[in-house]
Amino acid sequence: MNARALAELVMVVHFGVLLFLVVGGFLAWRWPKLLRFHLAMATWGLLVVMFPIACPLTWLENTLRTAAGRPPLASGFIDTYIDGVLYPDSAARLVQVVVGFVVVTSWVGYHVKRRAEQSAPGHRGAESA
């Protein structure tokens, strides 16, 4: 595979990672082991928003773009592909808040679902392990 195709593959993977950031907590309702991965992803997302941390996927895409003779992204992945494309630049902070709310809602729902399952008749908790 050439560098340009790999750069585009990294871009697609990056979109997938961001999608998982938004909906991963809900996926954990069905597959509880995903919650750890989602917690790590949400922590990373929060750190990137709060501090000027470079994303390794953006770095990899830029490295591959450069190897393919294309310019690196002028700004970060979200600034290039999402802000101003999926929503106006002026809504960026609102989108961050909404995403945070969705993530927290998914975690609260996960907790409520697990507690309901544990209190359900016939539930065999830790003693069945």
Side-chain angles (χ1 to χ4, degrees):
M1 213 180 259
N2 65 30
R4 182 175 179 166
L6 287 172
E8 290 176 6
L9 178 62
V10 170
M11 176 190 62
V12 170
V13 168
H14 211 156
F15 273 110
V17 166
L18 288 176
L19 182 62
F20 180 72
L21 171 64
V22 177
V23 302
F26 294 107
L27 295 175
W29 292 15
R30 172 67 176 95
W31 300 287
K33 290 183 180 186
L34 286 179
L35 192 63
R36 288 187 180 124
F37 296 107
H38 190 252
L39 178 60
M41 180 58 53
T43 300
W44 177 256
L46 185 62
L47 289 172
V48 167
V49 167
M50 293 177 61
F51 303 103
I53 299 173
C55 177
L57 288 173
T58 303
W59 172 85
L60 181 57
E61 182 181 351
N62 281 334
T63 299
L64 292 166
R65 287 172 62 93
T66 301
R70 298 177 69 204
L73 301 177
S75 54
F77 179 87
I78 291 175
D79 290 339
T80 300
Y81 297 116
I82 298 176
D83 284 350
V85 176
L86 298 179
Y87 51 80
D89 285 330
S90 61
R93 183 62 64 194
L94 175 62
V95 170
Q96 290 172 347
V97 170
V98 169
V99 167
F101 180 77
V102 168
V103 168
V104 170
T105 299
S106 73
W107 291 347
V108 169
Y110 174 87
H111 178 69
V112 168
K113 184 178 186 300
R114 292 290 166 230
R115 290 197 78 185
E117 289 172 353
Q118 290 173 352
S119 65
H123 173 75
R124 296 169 54 195
E127 69 275 0
S128 68

